[in-house]
Amino acid sequence: MGDVLRWRVLPMLVLLASSLVLYVRILPKKSISECSLLPYDHYWITSKRIVTPQGVINGAVEVRDGKIVSVVESDYQKGSLLGGKVVDYGNAVIMPGLIDVHAHLDEPGRVEWEGFSSGTKAAAAGGVTTLVDMPLNSFPSTVSEETLRMKVEAAQKKIYVDVGFWGGLVPHNAFNTSMLEGLLHAGALGLKSFMCPSGINDFPMTNSTHIKEGLYVLAKFKRPLLVHAEVVLDSKNSEGLLDDDPSYRSYATYLKSRPPSWEEAAIKDLLAVAQDTKTGGQAEGAHVHIVHLSDAKASLDLIEDEKRNGPNGASISVETCPHYLAFAAEEIADGDTRFKCAPPIRDVTNRQNLWEALIDGHIDMLSSDHSPSIPELKLFDEGDFLRAWGGISSLQYVLPITWTYGQKYGVSFSQIATWWSERPAKLAGQKYKGAIILGNDADFAVWEPEVEFELDENYKTYHKHPNISPYIGRRLSGKVLATFVRGNLVFSERSHAPAACGSPILAK
């Protein structure tokens, strides 16, 4: 009887075991990594609104091992998506992750201002999947191979998104070709310089001669020079004020101290130098990128004229920032130094002109210029615009800010992807980022444009010092649901992945 029972049960056990093996094989492979809130290496994400270079589609994106391996449009059936888990985001927008080419994370040396951990957590919570850290506000500034390696080492195991690094062009390395080449060989994506005092002692300003030398070196590496384009023409506007003069608290006083003519003069000089280097032995010349344009009149006209020269002109691009598109000088209260930045936020008409230039393609892209500090440096009690630290804290909010203030101008999802993903990727030399296409890194921002929220004390913010941001107290639309970096779900519904697994990006 026992033998009969054994022979009856044994085939059933074999069949059950084979079924279990088959079941395990067809399940998506789980990842044991703590880098992702989604424990799969192979999966699909679906939505009725996926932003691709061809337009917004109803479809699905297949991800395997951190890469986009297929994009399926329209009438797919979930059952027909072979292999991998399916994550359905319904009507939420899936767009390429934002790439912020202008952020100050202040590490090493000034982690009390921000730091890689808090800064990249804020980035991930805002749909930013890649950012490029500026060479100053950290200490020491990144102006040599050694200081770049210090920064890369400081970022290890702290970054939740991918982070690249600009090097600095300053007087003491401008004439030292081997020093600049060492910095670029070490992986700097390009160089950044100031044409006016930077406010940081170990990052002094450069003149046209320094810039020319830097451009010659950069042309050989085919990497860009980013420039803070203001030159000091007249500093008398704020001279003669006494310490107790109430006009220190007036935003109009600060605005007058940095007129548009400073930007215009700097851009005129910069374009001349760029043209000189192009005709001075380099067939193409180095690419020049003007950061945080504020003046939408004469300065912008110079840039437009240069672009119209086509191949005969200098290779040039320009960015502006959300704070120049969201705020206007007339709206800034006396003493509210949260709004101080350089170049300054200008008037309502200028804001309108910036939006028009962005939409018309004369301004190429957007960046945050996230530049935080400790609250004490903002001098909130004194409200002194002339002495307070200048810089707008905004990294986590740039997507909803762009969408909220852009709705008046009919801004589309595809335009946002162009300004925040496609063109920044090209500037930073990231050919596998910036678009949802086959073979690119699986970097996605998932967000709900229709959802409104108050940016108040109840809103979870990851910046180290949320109270210094001028956006606090604003009502915005466009809630970020999830952020994927190289296939890892690094942020979802107020939670980050257990481990910081972003990758340092070094040029090769």
Side-chain angles (χ1 to χ4, degrees):
M1 181 69 178
D3 290 341
V4 173
L5 181 61
R6 184 183 305 114
W7 286 109
R8 286 180 177 176
V9 172
L10 185 58
M12 295 175 63
L13 290 174
V14 172
L15 179 62
L16 178 61
S18 63
S19 299
L20 285 173
V21 169
L22 178 62
Y23 177 71
V24 169
R25 283 178 179 170
I26 65 173
L27 273 179
K29 184 176 68 173
K30 281 197 172 185
S31 168
I32 60 173
S33 171
E34 293 188 329
C35 298
S36 179
L37 296 167
L38 182 67
Y40 300 101
D41 297 319
H42 180 208
Y43 60 87
W44 296 78
I45 57 173
T46 65
S47 168
K48 296 177 182 177
R49 297 187 287 184
I50 300 176
V51 184
T52 74
Q54 290 72 42
V56 180
I57 66 169
N58 173 14
V61 181
E62 183 181 10
V63 176
R64 187 191 294 271
D65 298 326
K67 292 286 187 179
I68 297 171
V69 295
S70 65
V71 180
V72 179
E73 186 175 357
S74 67
D75 297 327
Y76 68 90
Q77 297 293 325
K78 290 181 184 177
S80 69
L81 301 179
L82 299 176
K85 180 179 175 62
V86 178
V87 183
D88 185 9
Y89 282 106
N91 200 44
V93 173
I94 299 176
M95 63 178 283
L98 279 68
I99 299 175
D100 188 357
V101 295
H102 192 156
H104 299 267
L105 295 186
D106 311 322
E107 190 171 356
R110 292 190 175 95
V111 292
E112 68 276 14
W113 289 22
E114 187 65 271
F116 285 117
S117 181
S118 62
T120 58
K121 274 190 171 182
V128 177
T129 56
T130 303
L131 59 83
V132 189
D133 190 35
M134 281 292 169
L136 69 162
N137 294 13
S138 54
F139 183 80
S141 292
T142 311
V143 296
S144 66
E145 180 179 354
E146 179 185 4
T147 51
L148 176 58
R149 287 177 175 165
M150 290 173 62
K151 180 165 280 193
V152 174
E153 183 178 343
Q156 297 297 324
K157 298 182 180 180
K158 295 179 184 176
I159 52 177
Y160 286 82
V161 302
D162 289 351
V163 177
F165 309 91
W166 301 120
L169 176 67
V170 291
H172 76 263
N173 67 13
F175 298 105
N176 189 331
T177 300
S178 63
M179 190 174 183
L180 285 181
E181 289 181 343
L183 178 55
L184 294 166
H185 279 303
L189 301 183
L191 300 177
K192 163 74 180 294
S193 73
F194 271 70
M195 297 178 74
C196 62
S198 72
I200 298 295
N201 290 336
D202 69 339
F203 203 94
M205 62 179 280
T206 52
N207 59 32
S208 296
T209 305
H210 301 129
I211 290 172
K212 182 180 291 188
E213 294 300 318
L215 288 175
Y216 280 131
V217 175
L218 286 163
K220 292 186 289 186
F221 286 80
K222 298 187 183 302
R223 297 182 203 168
L225 175 68
L226 286 73
V227 183
H228 180 128
E230 287 183 289
V231 293
V232 180
L233 298 177
D234 184 2
S235 59
K236 295 179 180 179
N237 291 320
S238 60
E239 291 179 359
L241 296 178
L242 301 175
D243 289 342
D244 59 352
D245 192 320
S247 63
Y248 274 134
R249 292 178 52 83
S250 168
Y251 184 76
T253 298
Y254 174 63
L255 182 61
K256 184 181 178 182
S257 75
R258 297 185 88 110
S261 58
W262 286 22
E263 290 187 80
E264 179 187 1
I267 291 170
K268 188 176 295 183
D269 288 349
L270 184 60
L271 295 178
V273 171
Q275 189 64 38
D276 284 348
T277 58
K278 180 178 178 180
T279 58
Q282 296 292 337
E284 296 182 4
H287 183 78
V288 173
H289 180 73
I290 296 168
V291 300
H292 51 46
L293 181 75
S294 171
D295 173 36
K297 296 177 183 176
S299 301
L300 185 59
D301 289 342
L302 288 170
I303 296 168
E304 290 179 20
D305 288 344
E306 191 67 24
K307 287 184 173 183
R308 277 193 286 268
N309 287 332
N312 295 321
S315 176
I316 187 169
S317 57
V318 60
E319 71 186 46
T320 193
C321 305
H323 42 274
Y324 300 123
L325 302 171
F327 305 130
E330 297 91 332
E331 303 164 357
I332 299 174
D334 287 353
D336 195 349
T337 56
R338 296 177 302 162
F339 291 87
K340 181 181 178 180
C341 59
I345 295 164
R346 305 197 189 279
D347 60 33
V348 170
T349 301
N350 189 80
R351 177 175 64 186
Q352 171 80 19
N353 291 339
L354 284 174
W355 270 113
E356 292 175 358
L358 180 64
I359 291 168
D360 291 342
H362 302 305
I363 294 174
D364 300 280
M365 67 191 76
L366 296 174
S367 75
S368 72
D369 189 15
H370 177 67
S371 185
S373 70
I374 55 175
E376 291 78 6
L377 291 180
K378 299 299 284 186
L379 303 181
F380 290 137
D381 290 340
E382 297 94 328
D384 187 337
F385 273 106
L386 297 182
R387 292 193 301 117
W389 178 262
I392 302 291
S393 178
S394 64
L395 183 54
Q396 186 174 333
Y397 319 132
V398 293
L399 177 54
I401 292 164
T402 305
W403 177 245
T404 299
Y405 292 94
Q407 288 182 67
K408 174 182 176 182
Y409 301 91
V411 165
S412 69
F413 303 140
S414 294
Q415 285 174 310
I416 292 178
T418 298
W419 300 332
W420 277 111
S421 303
E422 177 192 340
R423 290 176 181 165
K426 183 178 180 181
L427 177 72
Q430 301 306 300
K431 63 180 180 179
Y432 295 115
K433 294 184 181 292
I436 298 178
I437 58 174
L438 184 68
N440 267 13
D441 291 341
D443 295 347
F444 311 117
V446 185
W447 59 294
E448 296 177 307
E450 294 79 18
V451 174
E452 296 185 353
F453 59 92
E454 297 285 347
L455 199 53
D456 56 21
E457 65 276 2
N458 297 317
Y459 188 82
K460 181 61 177 174
T461 299
Y462 297 93
H463 300 146
K464 186 159 286 184
H465 303 292
N467 65 310
I468 68 173
S469 176
Y471 293 103
I472 298 300
R474 302 274 167 161
R475 185 169 183 82
L476 302 175
S477 59
K479 179 184 178 184
V480 175
L481 292 180
T483 303
F484 293 78
V485 178
R486 297 182 192 256
N488 290 324
L489 179 57
V490 299
F491 175 81
S492 180
E493 296 289 351
R494 297 170 66 98
S495 296
H496 288 82
C501 299
S503 299
I505 300 173
L506 298 174
K508 297 179 181 178

